[in-house]
Amino acid sequence: AQSVTQLDSQVPVFEEAPVELRCNYSSSVSVYLFWYVQYPNQGLQLLLKYLSGSTLVKGINGFEAEFNKSQTSFHLRKPSVHISDTAEYFCAVSEPGGYNKLIFGAGTRLAVHP
Amino acid sequence: DAGVTQSPTHLIKTRGQQVTLRCSPKSGHDTVSWYQQALGQGPQFIFQYYEEEERQRGNFPDRFSGHQFPNYSSELNVNALLLGDSALYLCASTAPGSGRAETQYFGPGTRLLVL
């Protein structure tokens, strides 16, 4: 069975500072990896996804993530955050051939302070 | 182009009642998935509908059922509501594609409170 662990429930950071949100997964098969963002009172929006190929994936809003197979990690990074990045961030996996069923982590609350 | 829409936005029910939530997928999308997001947790997969059939199901009891219509819209029904069913219910739609990693587009959700 697949599972996703987001290592930090909350990450406070000052505006214009870099940030890393950590995600580890467990799976006996190869997986697809995703990061979604959820703004207050809204649904989820895809930031980026890793399917295969280059392990460094660039997404929207200046975010990027690196797939590390040996450490089963897919950490999300941004070199300089803005107040508007304050939101809940979810890491998710799906199994190739599994009809795109997403398994989510518990989420990390990113709070950007001025 | 409208995205995924859900109705109602909020709903209050009492234990034992039944509820129906509705979802209209993004234009051109033919697959609808439903997720339950309890407070402070990540979304959990309930089931997925494709060609008006339930194609895959998560670990939810039979009290949770669904339907997909010929226009690809979908309903989620929950019978005999429990306090623990209180959550945000998210609908996601996916475009037809040859691969299985098509992006899922999420609606804003229906917030259900069971008293």
Side-chain angles (χ1 to χ4, degrees):
Chain A
Q2 299 163 340
S3 65
V4 176
T5 302
Q6 292 186 241
L7 298 161
D8 306 292
S9 60
Q10 296 186 63
V11 173
V13 64
F14 287 108
E15 194 173 19
E16 298 183 7
V19 70
E20 178 180 81
L21 306 184
R22 298 181 292 168
C23 172
N24 285 89
Y25 69 92
S26 173
S27 177
S28 58
V29 299
S30 61
V31 295
Y32 296 143
L33 294 154
F34 306 81
W35 274 100
Y36 280 86
V37 60
Q38 185 175 36
Y39 298 104
N41 300 315
Q42 294 187 28
L44 280 73
Q45 180 183 10
L46 181 69
L47 282 176
L48 47 81
K49 61 183 178 183
Y50 171 80
L51 305 181
S52 64
S54 173
T55 58
L56 184 63
V57 180
K58 294 191 182 296
I60 63 171
N61 300 341
F63 284 94
E64 64 180 32
E66 186 157 18
F67 170 57
N68 187 318
K69 188 175 182 179
S70 62
Q71 297 186 8
T72 60
S73 68
F74 191 55
H75 300 333
L76 181 71
R77 302 185 184 100
K78 186 170 183 178
S80 175
V81 295
H82 303 287
I83 296 289
S84 59
D85 292 323
T86 294
E88 191 85 20
Y89 290 79
F90 293 96
C91 182
V93 302
S94 71
E95 182 180 318
Y99 294 118
N100 223 3
K101 166 188 170 182
L102 292 171
I103 307 296
F104 286 90
T108 296
R109 170 78 176 162
L110 175 65
V112 181
H113 301 284
Chain B
D1 177 26
V4 179
T5 60
Q6 294 185 242
S7 64
T9 55
H10 295 82
L11 206 50
I12 300 175
K13 292 287 188 179
T14 57
R15 280 179 299 173
Q17 285 189 311
Q18 178 263 346
V19 69
T20 298
L21 311 182
R22 295 176 177 81
C23 171
S24 292
K26 191 174 167 61
S27 178
H29 287 193
D30 63 355
T31 302
V32 173
S33 301
W34 287 91
Y35 293 82
Q36 180 195 66
Q37 185 179 13
L39 198 62
Q41 297 182 26
Q44 284 194 293
F45 177 78
I46 302 174
F47 43 53
Q48 183 182 91
Y49 275 83
Y50 172 71
E51 292 189 343
E52 302 180 49
E53 296 287 333
E54 182 183 292
R55 177 161 71 175
Q56 193 173 20
R57 189 179 183 91
N59 189 24
F60 278 80
D62 292 344
R63 298 187 297 109
F64 289 77
S65 63
H67 189 77
Q68 186 179 35
F69 299 93
N71 67 352
Y72 307 121
S73 67
S74 178
E75 288 182 348
L76 164 65
N77 300 292
V78 187
N79 294 321
L81 284 167
L82 303 173
L83 295 180
D85 295 331
S86 295
L88 180 68
Y89 288 85
L90 295 165
C91 169
S93 70
T94 313
S98 57
R100 298 290 170 78
E102 297 298 325
T103 297
Q104 293 191 38
Y105 291 82
F106 284 81
T110 293
R111 189 164 296 281
L112 172 65
L113 177 62
V114 182
L115 301 176

